[in-house]
Amino acid sequence: MNGPYVAVIGAGQATAEQERVAERVGELLAEAGAVLVSGGRGGVMLASCRGAHRRGGLTLGLLPGPDRAEGNPFLTVTVPTGMGELRNGLVARTADGVIAVGGGWGTLSEIGFAMRLGRPLIAVGSWTVEGPAREPSYPTADTAEAAVSWVLRQLG
Amino acid sequence: MNGPYVAVIGAGQATAEQERVAERVGELLAEAGAVLVSGGRGGVMLASCRGAHRRGGLTLGLLPGPDRAEGNPFLTVTVPTGMGELRNGLVARTADGVIAVGGGWGTLSEIGFAMRLGRPLIAVGSWTVEGPAREPSYPTADTAEAAVSWVLRQLG
Amino acid sequence: MNGPYVAVIGAGQATAEQERVAERVGELLAEAGAVLVSGGRGGVMLASCRGAHRRGGLTLGLLPGPDRAEGNPFLTVTVPTGMGELRNGLVARTADGVIAVGGGWGTLSEIGFAMRLGRPLIAVGSWTVEGPAREPSYPTADTAEAAVSWVLRQLG
Amino acid sequence: MNGPYVAVIGAGQATAEQERVAERVGELLAEAGAVLVSGGRGGVMLASCRGAHRRGGLTLGLLPGPDRAEGNPFLTVTVPTGMGELRNGLVARTADGVIAVGGGWGTLSEIGFAMRLGRPLIAVGSWTVEGPAREPSYPTADTAEAAVSWVLRQLG
């Protein structure tokens, strides 16, 4: 695929509003021809895949466990890594850009990885962080549209 | 080793004050019989290993690259993982408890991992984070003594 | 994708005959609706992807390095693992079945992994191995057709 | 540690004779000041660690699961990788040299990795392999003494 790879990261347990945003993000990414990368499970991951799938987009799920069957039903391609939470680093590495929607501690690890790797990242109702060296942080967006638009612009 | 495994995480480029704290943390962990786990490179990692080494402690370095020679000179045991920044997840998994001193984005990924895995973690002049679900965060300490004392108490 | 995931493993430097077989394997897998998994680089990996691509098949490349650009031009989806040769284990884990064509030491590691995980595996002009416990080994085939036919039969 | 890192690889289920050889290998490595690297579990892994431990050697176990408690009782340092069989690649990468005693399919994957990485490797009653390109293979030894002596000589 020539489209950019964009990760949608967030928790496996999400609020209805987070899932609504994630689903819309998935739709917009698919319409833009992006490959949607995620951890492949429930909550924000599932909702974004459902949105992308509805619009004919390609979805890639990097699962923590060794079993393909644990992936959500909207994945085009699954990689059952069997690496547990270490797969969070693979999600960040595989993505050209990242959109964080809500999220728990695992999402925070993905944010750290993605920023460490220099990936453009934008957050919608996700973690707020402040580093000891006052590192420049990532921008935030209020809507799926603004988040997708910003990421795609960064990726040229 | 029967002693607890405690990770000292922080950036490869650190301030003099951060290195001073990290070195003292290393000394105290060695005196307590703990195994010091780290990413094995410079800055906070090196300083904490130097402190532990001075007190006869055992230090374990999980290196990002494939070459043992990139480890700092105060490591007892090195594992050249060749996994790049993914080794941050291994550091968190190998540790029973974690002390963060300063730190950059890679350190934030380790904090996320460690909290995701339920490891007791305390921060000295490190990241401040706030999650979308107002997750209970980790405590902070002002001194090496307070940080080590808290972690060892958590680990029984 | 509902089709089975079949890995084609072999060396990055291959003979003309090995590439011919690999390309034909790729064509046949695509025609059967399988997802072709590989290490994503040259030689047998590239030839099999070229064959699958020609027939409209989906190809997944798990790259050793951190850079998507190192993948061959016939990959639908790439995962730049940044894990070096450790990604050989991911290839075996991601595959439901495996076809080995020729191959070097890295291929042998994938054969070991795949057999350890119980994946059906067939070899075309690849390694011959004999274990200390006289473990039942894997079958061999003389042609791409026979190899693909056997693997697909195992995967039901 | 300045001593070389030598991996002892073999199956978790081993014959009495394989365990006898592995234990003697462990003793000899410890006497030579080497760090013994292994997968940290039973059979050949446990026997070699027992031998090294008896002679005061340092043993490093890279466990497949996420739980330190699954390691054998003779490990000085454990890394619970949580990466499953992918940790076989870490064992090979961490070792400067490798001794294979008996072994199953997982051992074969480690042999492939180690040879791919150019590690000196010697086999005692382990896999016999022949590659399609008639790659020069690894030597074999009949005794623990001969195997350890050969590996240490390679490592200077």
Side-chain angles (χ1 to χ4, degrees):
Chain A
M1 295 285 292
N2 293 321
Y5 286 63
V6 179
V8 181
I9 62 176
Q13 304 278 343
T15 66
E17 170 63 9
Q18 288 165 346
E19 294 194 2
R20 198 193 58 74
V21 171
E23 186 160 348
R24 184 74 184 124
V25 164
E27 291 178 349
L28 293 165
L29 289 175
E31 288 171 1
V35 175
L36 191 159
V37 184
S38 80
R41 304 208 63 186
V44 158
M45 298 173 268
L46 183 146
S48 62
C49 289
R50 185 169 52 209
H53 185 261
R54 178 183 302 136
R55 293 290 194 263
L58 196 155
T59 58
L60 167 62
L62 303 175
L63 304 174
D67 185 0
R68 177 161 291 118
E70 74 176 11
N72 73 55
F74 304 108
L75 293 170
T76 315
V77 175
T78 53
V79 178
T81 69
M83 296 169 64
E85 298 300 315
L86 285 182
R87 72 79 154 83
N88 293 358
L90 280 184
V91 169
R93 191 173 273 160
T94 299
D96 300 312
V98 179
I99 299 173
V101 180
W105 290 110
T107 308
L108 185 68
S109 75
E110 286 173 304
I111 290 174
F113 263 126
M115 295 299 288
R116 175 71 177 78
L117 297 173
R119 304 294 195 257
L121 181 149
I122 192 164
V124 186
S126 185
W127 289 85
T128 304
V129 304
E130 188 176 43
R134 305 287 178 270
E135 288 84 352
S137 190
Y138 40 82
T140 60
D142 289 331
T143 65
E145 283 74 9
V148 170
S149 164
W150 181 87
V151 159
L152 294 177
R153 214 157 50 230
Q154 303 302 311
L155 301 178
Chain B
M1 294 286 291
N2 293 322
Y5 286 63
V6 179
V8 181
I9 63 176
Q13 305 278 343
T15 66
E17 170 64 10
Q18 288 165 347
E19 294 194 2
R20 199 193 56 73
V21 170
E23 187 161 346
R24 184 74 185 124
V25 164
E27 290 179 348
L28 294 165
L29 289 175
E31 288 171 2
V35 176
L36 191 159
V37 184
S38 80
R41 305 210 61 186
V44 158
M45 298 172 268
L46 183 146
S48 61
C49 289
R50 186 170 49 208
H53 185 261
R54 179 182 303 136
R55 293 290 193 264
L58 198 156
T59 58
L60 167 63
L62 304 175
L63 304 173
D67 185 1
R68 177 160 292 119
E70 74 175 10
N72 72 54
F74 304 108
L75 293 170
T76 314
V77 176
T78 53
V79 179
T81 69
M83 296 169 65
E85 298 301 315
L86 285 183
R87 72 78 154 82
N88 293 358
L90 279 185
V91 169
R93 191 173 274 159
T94 299
D96 300 311
V98 179
I99 299 174
V101 181
W105 290 109
T107 308
L108 186 67
S109 75
E110 286 172 305
I111 290 174
F113 262 126
M115 295 298 290
R116 176 71 177 78
L117 296 173
R119 303 294 194 259
L121 182 150
I122 191 163
V124 186
S126 185
W127 290 86
T128 305
V129 304
E130 187 175 44
R134 304 288 178 270
E135 288 85 351
S137 190
Y138 40 82
T140 60
D142 289 330
T143 64
E145 282 74 10
V148 171
S149 165
W150 182 86
V151 159
L152 294 178
R153 215 158 48 231
Q154 303 302 311
L155 301 177
Chain C
M1 296 284 293
N2 293 322
Y5 286 62
V6 179
V8 182
I9 63 176
Q13 304 279 344
T15 65
E17 170 64 11
Q18 287 165 346
E19 294 195 1
R20 198 192 58 72
V21 170
E23 187 160 347
R24 184 74 185 125
V25 164
E27 290 179 349
L28 293 165
L29 289 174
E31 288 171 2
V35 176
L36 190 158
V37 184
S38 81
R41 304 208 64 187
V44 157
M45 298 172 267
L46 182 146
S48 61
C49 289
R50 185 169 52 208
H53 185 260
R54 179 182 302 137
R55 294 289 192 264
L58 197 157
T59 58
L60 167 62
L62 304 175
L63 305 173
D67 184 1
R68 178 161 290 119
E70 74 175 11
N72 73 55
F74 304 108
L75 293 171
T76 314
V77 175
T78 54
V79 178
T81 68
M83 296 169 65
E85 299 300 316
L86 285 183
R87 71 79 154 82
N88 293 357
L90 280 184
V91 169
R93 193 173 271 158
T94 300
D96 299 312
V98 179
I99 299 173
V101 180
W105 289 110
T107 309
L108 186 67
S109 76
E110 286 172 304
I111 290 174
F113 263 127
M115 294 297 290
R116 176 71 177 77
L117 297 173
R119 303 294 195 258
L121 181 150
I122 192 163
V124 187
S126 186
W127 290 85
T128 304
V129 304
E130 188 175 41
R134 306 284 178 273
E135 288 85 352
S137 189
Y138 41 82
T140 61
D142 289 329
T143 65
E145 283 74 9
V148 171
S149 165
W150 182 86
V151 160
L152 294 179
R153 214 158 48 229
Q154 302 303 311
L155 301 177
Chain D
M1 295 286 291
N2 293 322
Y5 286 62
V6 179
V8 181
I9 62 176
Q13 304 278 345
T15 65
E17 170 63 10
Q18 289 165 345
E19 295 194 0
R20 199 192 57 75
V21 171
E23 187 160 346
R24 184 72 185 126
V25 165
E27 289 179 348
L28 294 165
L29 289 174
E31 288 171 2
V35 176
L36 191 159
V37 184
S38 80
R41 305 209 63 187
V44 158
M45 298 172 268
L46 182 146
S48 61
C49 289
R50 186 169 50 208
H53 185 261
R54 178 182 304 138
R55 294 290 193 263
L58 198 156
T59 58
L60 167 62
L62 304 174
L63 304 174
D67 184 1
R68 177 161 291 120
E70 74 176 12
N72 72 55
F74 304 108
L75 293 170
T76 314
V77 176
T78 53
V79 179
T81 69
M83 297 168 64
E85 299 300 316
L86 285 182
R87 73 77 155 82
N88 293 357
L90 279 184
V91 169
R93 191 173 273 159
T94 299
D96 300 311
V98 179
I99 299 173
V101 180
W105 290 109
T107 308
L108 186 67
S109 76
E110 286 173 305
I111 290 174
F113 262 126
M115 294 298 290
R116 176 74 177 77
L117 297 172
R119 303 294 195 259
L121 181 149
I122 191 163
V124 186
S126 184
W127 290 85
T128 304
V129 304
E130 188 175 43
R134 305 286 179 271
E135 289 84 351
S137 189
Y138 40 82
T140 60
D142 289 330
T143 65
E145 282 75 9
V148 170
S149 165
W150 182 87
V151 159
L152 294 178
R153 214 157 50 229
Q154 303 302 311
L155 302 177

